[in-house]
Amino acid sequence: MAQQMEIDFNVPKFLSEERQKAPAHLQQYFTTFEDLYERKLWHQLTLKIIEFFKEPESAPFQIRVFQNFVAEWESKINKLSLVTIALQAASQFNDLKDSVEFLNQIIAKVDEAGTKDVYVLAVMESANFKLKLGESDEVKKAIDESEKILDGFDSVETVIYASFYRVSAEYYKAKANYAQYYKSALLYLACVNIEELTSADRIERAYDLSLAALLGDMIYNFGELLMHPILDSLSGTEHDWLRSLLFAFNAGDIGKFEALEPHFTKQSLLQQNRAALSRKICLMSLIEAVFRRSTDNRSIPFSEIAAETRLPIEEVEHLVMKALSLNLIRGSIDQVDQIVVVTWVQPRVLDKDQIDGMRRKLEEWDNQVKKISSYVGEQGGEVFAQ
């Protein structure tokens, strides 16, 4: 068999041909590419490629530019930049399988000891395409592998964490794992500037996070979401009622919950889980009732809990046992006297109203201390020293 001769790729010819195909406002990029390439200014050329790929009308050129031009000098590119450029090109394939195959080649190039963090970025973005193909088992493997790698780093670039948490969140959303979705989605938002997300994306993420908070079995503290600016994306939209529902849950406001129940018809998941949501709002009401009390006044009669939660008094003990089993509170139940003694309540991220409540408690405590100080001073005379 005759040996095939390798012929050097004619970079200037390729760039000239692509320039002629490009819209007028993009043609100057190809001229700059050729100039920087010939002068071997790799860093400046990398930045120019990234700038070009951000142009919406560059989309039809991205795959060809990467495969025929960037591939010529990819060894000179910072690996994070290489993957960043490759990810943009991968999104241009019409067939998702082609995107995965393309990224597999990139993954192989960064699967080295010194670039394991960048490897995670490539693997997770490939997993994102696999998730769209329905290959959930492969996605879970990618998440597990990437998590172990990231645990070995003190820190990595924020874009890598953002990719990991975004794709993880999408996987857990597909699996209806509300608690894991809630955690991953919030961590993703901590890695990005939400102002750079589109309005539609912000609304979708706020909506999904709200549902996850409500439906997550182990989520009884909504403060972190309520204080996050992403939730404001629902204000003034058709989903504004969902935001109000979250605040009702966080405050344990059963009356407001019941007033908002008619909206459940707009979301089948809430309809299907109506009973679970009723149980959850009762638990939230119990937690809030305990939280509002001072630490020296947490012996609560069953009758008061029944009034707070709007439950029959015979169901109160079961509710408290549920709260104890979930470690939402700690304490004991006096079945004879029908009293619950609470010694601890789960720490919470407080919303503004709850913070104001804490302020009032501190003011009351301060006044009590002053009264005691004054009393002791009067009774002790000169023995007492201020």
Side-chain angles (χ1 to χ4, degrees), residues 76-297:
K76 310 293 193 302
I77 308 177
N78 168 279
K79 290 296 189 285
L80 179 57
S81 296
L82 175 64
V83 171
T84 301
I85 297 167
L87 293 178
Q88 187 64 36
S91 65
Q92 305 306 324
F93 287 98
N94 294 323
D95 190 330
L96 294 174
K97 291 181 179 178
D98 290 338
S99 298
V100 172
E101 185 178 343
F102 173 76
L103 285 180
N104 283 341
Q105 298 171 27
I106 304 301
I107 289 169
K109 293 173 183 176
V110 295
D111 188 9
E112 301 172 356
T115 56
K116 278 295 183 181
D117 53 344
V118 181
Y119 169 81
V120 166
L121 177 60
V123 166
M124 289 305 296
E125 292 301 333
S126 176
N128 189 42
F129 289 111
K130 291 177 180 178
L131 185 61
K132 295 174 182 176
L133 287 168
E135 300 174 7
S136 58
D137 290 343
E138 290 298 312
V139 177
K140 187 61 168 68
K141 287 178 185 177
I143 292 172
D144 292 341
E145 179 191 10
S146 297
E147 186 173 26
K148 288 179 182 177
I149 293 172
L150 291 176
D151 285 344
F153 284 90
D154 291 331
S155 65
V156 299
E157 291 288 339
T158 305
V159 67
I160 297 173
Y161 281 125
S163 173
F164 174 76
Y165 291 124
R166 175 176 53 79
V167 178
S168 295
E170 291 304 310
Y171 169 79
Y172 292 122
K173 177 182 175 180
K175 290 294 183 181
N177 187 332
Y178 303 116
Q180 284 297 329
Y181 170 81
Y182 185 79
K183 175 184 175 182
S184 297
L186 280 176
L187 286 170
Y188 164 68
L189 291 176
C191 297
V192 299
N193 178 359
I194 67 168
E195 295 302 320
E196 294 179 358
L197 302 177
T198 65
S199 176
D201 195 15
R202 289 199 297 271
I203 291 172
E204 181 182 1
R205 292 192 180 282
Y207 183 83
D208 289 342
L209 271 166
S210 299
L211 286 181
L214 293 167
L215 298 173
D217 289 341
M218 302 301 294
I219 302 174
Y220 289 90
N221 188 349
F222 302 160
E224 190 173 359
L225 175 58
L226 295 181
M227 297 296 287
H228 200 291
I230 194 71
L231 198 61
D232 293 335
S233 304
L234 299 181
S235 298
T237 71
E238 60 181 318
H239 308 306
D240 200 4
W241 63 272
L242 194 56
R243 182 176 178 274
S244 299
L245 185 61
L246 278 176
F247 278 97
F249 263 83
N250 195 60
D253 190 337
I254 294 177
K256 194 170 184 180
F257 166 78
E258 291 176 346
L260 290 167
E261 268 192 293
H263 289 284
F264 288 10
T265 54
K266 300 174 183 177
Q267 170 48 253
S268 59
L269 286 173
L270 297 181
Q271 278 276 71
Q272 295 163 14
N273 291 276
R274 188 185 291 262
L277 290 168
S278 295
R279 292 192 294 271
K280 189 167 187 172
I281 189 67
C282 287
L283 283 167
M284 298 294 285
S285 179
L286 171 62
I287 297 168
E288 184 63 20
V290 173
F291 189 79
R292 286 198 304 266
R293 288 172 172 259
S294 62
T295 53
D296 59 353
N297 184 29

Side-chain angles (χ1 to χ4, degrees), residues 356-386:
D356 188 56
M358 286 290 290
R359 179 188 59 79
R360 290 195 299 271
K361 284 184 183 179
L362 287 171
E363 288 177 348
E364 291 171 7
W365 175 80
D366 184 53
N367 291 332
Q368 282 292 110
V369 170
K370 287 177 180 176
K371 287 179 182 177
I372 294 171
S373 173
S374 177
Y375 174 77
V376 173
E378 292 170 1
Q379 298 298 314
E382 295 180 1
V383 176
F384 177 75
Q386 286 282 353

